Amino acid sequence: MSAHMHPQKNSGSMLANAGKWSITGKILARGIDFVSLIILAYFLTPSDFGLVAMAMTIVVVVEAVTNIPVTQPILRADDPTPDYYDTAFTFSLIRATLIAAILISLAFPVASYFHESRLPPVIMVLAIAPMCRGSISPRMADYTRALDMRPDFIMITVPKILSFILLVAVAAMTKSYWAIVVGTTFTPIFMLVTSFVLAPYRPRLSLAQRGQFSDVIKWNTLIQLIAAINWQVDRIILGSRLTPQAFGRYSMAGDLCGMPFQAVQVALSGPLSYLFARVQNQMQLGIAWVKALSGNYFIISPILIGMAVLSKPAIQALLGQKWLASSMYVSALAVSSLSSIAVLSLPALAVARYKLKMVAYRSIIEFCVKVPLTFVFAYFWGIWGAIAAKAVSDFCSMGITLRAARQITGVSVWGQIYPLHRIFLGLIALAAVAYSLAPDVSGFSGSFMDRFTLGVETAVAAGLGFSAYLLTIITLWVLSKRPDGIEAFVVDYLKSIFGFRSDRPLENL
């Protein structure tokens, strides 16, 4: 490994820099996804989205169950040998083979369950995506070890741009659900190629270091199996009870609310695992965990509240009248998802401290709550029952997560929640401002100028709402005599943007 790959001492500033590159890349990627969604919503119908969502339900479950975080043992090793990378590659190859075999064998039974004869070829083509996504060069982990996320930024953004061009072309020419399939499949194909260009690796089959992967594979398989069912149980049940059109609208709402979670979780899981693994004493580990928890809430919660308050004008402006029914689902899902933000960084903490068993326990309890609730609630009350079941299970999962983090870090549940109070007060300010400025959608004609005007007014309401959120948090932080926390990082980051000297070094954040 070259010298520049070795981690340096200034871990705080390196993590901050890694986070900037990683989050920027994920935000850009999600931005491309969002624009793609708008374009697809214009060319396609809710039924097209519903059909692909049915296929993705089984693809997501199989991908999650077979998922092996092969980079984690490399990240936590002090000095990984070539055997680590060969073992990671071999497990990835085994996983890709399993995914292909499972999805091909399930394609027709799933089509029969959902009463949709068009599903088998869609499922078989979509199987390519998880196979490629899990087979990127294991040498990419070297950059994460060095907290250099610039190659990761390239690997995420360049394939997104290429697949976006392809997706738009197919959507415009065919106006078919195959445009979604093409976009979903070709992004990981381009990512696979890009990873080997950025981090060359000569494939070699070996399981010499399988012992270092055993705990990750053992607990991760159980965790992913349960998490996959927890994540998709509502779609599994509703998919067989709703028309493709209704299912498409519900799936669209879920996808929109899931975007901020995916961006932050994928962006920071690697750097956080590395940082948590390198912290030597429990006090510093507790500080790092609380800052990670606060950071997740600081970034994701205002997006969810903004979506909840402004969903109706935003969807009318961006997606059009045919998607308006999704707006009420977006509002409900956004609010109910607030408690699940707490769960995001627990896997990174657990892997780094060899405590995956706690994540498994959390997933099992969530399973025992969510699955029966969803079956009963969705059976009697359909989509709204599924949303209610999700809200209850997410709240339970948050409590379990905070208790698990207490056992690992020593920080009390109150000590984890209290730093969030300024963020919650800021969210109230955001909701009040955004609600008062939300544009009136009565008399909306659906013309281009109407949609453009509505979009601008919605963006202004969102921008002023976020400004109120930020101003409230910073004001309360100053009145509290500037305690160490996420606000300190935000203030120093804003100072660096506007050219002011920071009062404290980044490595202390």
Side-chain angles (χ1 to χ4, degrees), residues 41 43 48 65-66 73 92 101 141 249 269 293 301 334 338 342 361 363 375 380 385 428 462 470:
F43 285 112
D48 293 323
V65 170
T66 59
S92 297
R249 292 193 175 109
S269 60
L293 180 66
S301 60
L338 284 171
Y361 290 159
S363 298
F375 268 106
F380 287 105
I428 295 174
L470 197 59

Side-chain angles (χ1 to χ4, degrees), residues 381-400:
W381 298 289
I383 290 176
W384 290 108
I387 293 174
K390 180 183 184 304
V392 173
S393 64
D394 283 351
F395 186 79
C396 294
S397 185
M398 178 184 70
I400 299 165

Side-chain angles (χ1 to χ4, degrees), residues 268-303:
L268 292 182
S269 60
L272 281 176
S273 289
Y274 182 78
L275 178 66
F276 289 145
R278 292 298 175 268
V279 174
Q280 298 299 319
N281 63 75
Q282 195 173 45
M283 179 179 293
Q284 291 299 317
L285 180 64
I287 292 172
W289 164 256
V290 171
K291 287 182 178 179
L293 180 66
S294 300
N296 288 339
Y297 268 96
F298 179 83
I299 295 170
I300 298 176
S301 60
I303 299 175

Side-chain angles (χ1 to χ4, degrees), residues 118-135:
R118 295 173 294 175
L119 278 179
V122 175
I123 292 174
M124 292 177 187
V125 174
L126 286 173
I128 298 172
M131 291 170 63
C132 294
R133 198 158 32 236
S135 303

Side-chain angles (χ1 to χ4, degrees), residues 207-261:
L207 292 175
Q209 292 293 336
R210 60 187 179 277
Q212 297 298 324
F213 290 72
S214 60
D215 69 308
V216 172
I217 294 174
K218 178 179 64 175
W219 287 110
N220 190 76
T221 301
L222 176 61
I223 292 168
Q224 292 298 332
L225 172 61
I226 298 172
I229 297 174
N230 289 340
W231 188 18
Q232 294 291 313
V233 64
D234 56 339
R235 300 193 182 196
I236 293 172
I237 297 170
L238 293 175
S240 64
R241 297 175 58 82
L242 301 176
T243 64
Q245 186 178 42
F247 189 62
R249 292 193 175 109
Y250 175 73
S251 300
M252 172 69 79
D255 291 342
L256 288 172
C257 291
M259 281 186 175
F261 286 90

Side-chain angles (χ1 to χ4, degrees), residues 116-351:
E116 182 53 73
S117 61
R118 295 173 294 175
L119 278 179
V122 175
I123 292 174
M124 292 177 187
V125 174
L126 286 173
I128 298 172
M131 291 170 63
C132 294
R133 198 158 32 236
S135 303
I136 65 171
S137 170
R139 282 286 176 181
M140 287 296 295
D142 289 344
Y143 293 108
T144 304
R145 285 179 58 83
L147 293 179
D148 179 6
M149 303 308 291
R150 289 170 295 182
D152 189 68
F153 173 88
I154 296 171
M155 186 186 69
I156 291 169
T157 55
V158 172
K160 279 288 183 185
I161 294 170
L162 294 175
S163 63
F164 172 77
I165 296 171
L166 188 60
L167 176 148
V168 172
V170 174
M173 289 187 296
T174 67
K175 294 181 175 59
S176 162
Y177 57 83
W178 282 105
I180 308 175
V181 177
V182 167
T184 304
T185 303
F186 273 87
T187 298
I189 290 175
F190 291 143
M191 285 180 65
L192 175 65
V193 175
T194 305
S195 74
F196 277 89
V197 172
L198 294 171
Y201 167 75
R202 184 176 181 180
R204 179 174 173 270
L205 298 180
S206 172
L207 292 175
Q209 292 293 336
R210 60 187 179 277
Q212 297 298 324
F213 290 72
S214 60
D215 69 308
V216 172
I217 294 174
K218 178 179 64 175
W219 287 110
N220 190 76
T221 301
L222 176 61
I223 292 168
Q224 292 298 332
L225 172 61
I226 298 172
I229 297 174
N230 289 340
W231 188 18
Q232 294 291 313
V233 64
D234 56 339
R235 300 193 182 196
I236 293 172
I237 297 170
L238 293 175
S240 64
R241 297 175 58 82
L242 301 176
T243 64
Q245 186 178 42
F247 189 62
R249 292 193 175 109
Y250 175 73
S251 300
M252 172 69 79
D255 291 342
L256 288 172
C257 291
M259 281 186 175
F261 286 90
Q262 295 164 8
V264 172
Q265 185 174 34
V266 176
L268 292 182
S269 60
L272 281 176
S273 289
Y274 182 78
L275 178 66
F276 289 145
R278 292 298 175 268
V279 174
Q280 298 299 319
N281 63 75
Q282 195 173 45
M283 179 179 293
Q284 291 299 317
L285 180 64
I287 292 172
W289 164 256
V290 171
K291 287 182 178 179
L293 180 66
S294 300
N296 288 339
Y297 268 96
F298 179 83
I299 295 170
I300 298 176
S301 60
I303 299 175
L304 294 177
I305 293 300
M307 293 172 69
V309 175
L310 299 171
S311 63
K312 192 170 184 178
I315 285 179
Q316 281 194 318
L318 295 174
L319 304 183
Q321 191 74 20
K322 62 186 175 183
W323 291 100
L324 184 58
S326 295
S327 63
M328 54 186 176
Y329 304 142
V330 170
S331 296
L333 286 170
V335 173
S336 69
S337 297
L338 284 171
S339 57
S340 62
I341 299 175
V343 179
L344 282 180
S345 296
L346 182 63
L349 176 67
V351 168

